[in-house]
Amino acid sequence: MSAQNYFQQEVNYKINVELNDKTHVLTGSEVIEYTNNSPNDLDILWFHIWPNAYKDNTTALAKQKLSDGNNDLQNANPEERGNISNLDFSVN
């Protein structure tokens, strides 16, 4: 059994967010700088966009909540829901 050399991935974040307290909307941007320090190439990076689970009645979360007897999300007004839009990913 061979020992793997230890490496540590590096991630740096720059987040800018502005709250419009009249419309209850957050507008922001985030820059993520990820450095792959492993000896292997990465084919995939996964991003979980959790706020999009509240986007509408068709999401897996909305369907699960309804199945569990909770219809709060089904009855929520659009302004009470959350989501992330305008995603733009680039490499290098």
Side-chain angles (χ1 to χ4, degrees):
M1 182 174 194
S2 65
Q4 179 181 354
N5 290 335
Y6 176 79
F7 61 87
Q8 180 67 46
Q9 303 296 37
E10 180 180 345
V11 181
N12 296 298
Y13 301 88
K14 292 179 186 175
I15 302 171
N16 294 305
V17 178
E18 184 176 309
L19 169 64
N20 181 326
D21 59 355
K22 292 184 178 168
T23 62
H24 301 258
V25 172
L26 289 172
T27 303
S29 65
E30 178 178 15
V31 174
I32 303 170
E33 181 183 291
Y34 178 88
T35 304
N36 179 19
N37 291 318
S38 81
N40 303 313
D41 290 340
L42 297 178
D43 295 326
I44 298 172
L45 285 177
W46 290 99
F47 288 87
H48 295 279
I49 313 298
W50 295 116
N52 285 352
Y54 298 90
K55 186 175 183 175
D56 58 36
N57 293 341
T58 65
T59 67
L61 176 65
K63 292 175 183 176
Q64 181 63 51
K65 286 188 162 289
L66 188 60
S67 174
D68 292 344
N70 181 330
N71 63 356
D72 291 346
L73 188 52
Q74 298 290 325
N75 296 329
N77 295 323
E79 62 272 5
E80 296 174 315
R81 298 171 186 244
N83 69 6
I84 295 177
S85 58
N86 301 321
L87 296 175
D88 180 21
F89 293 91
S90 61
V91 176
N92 293 335

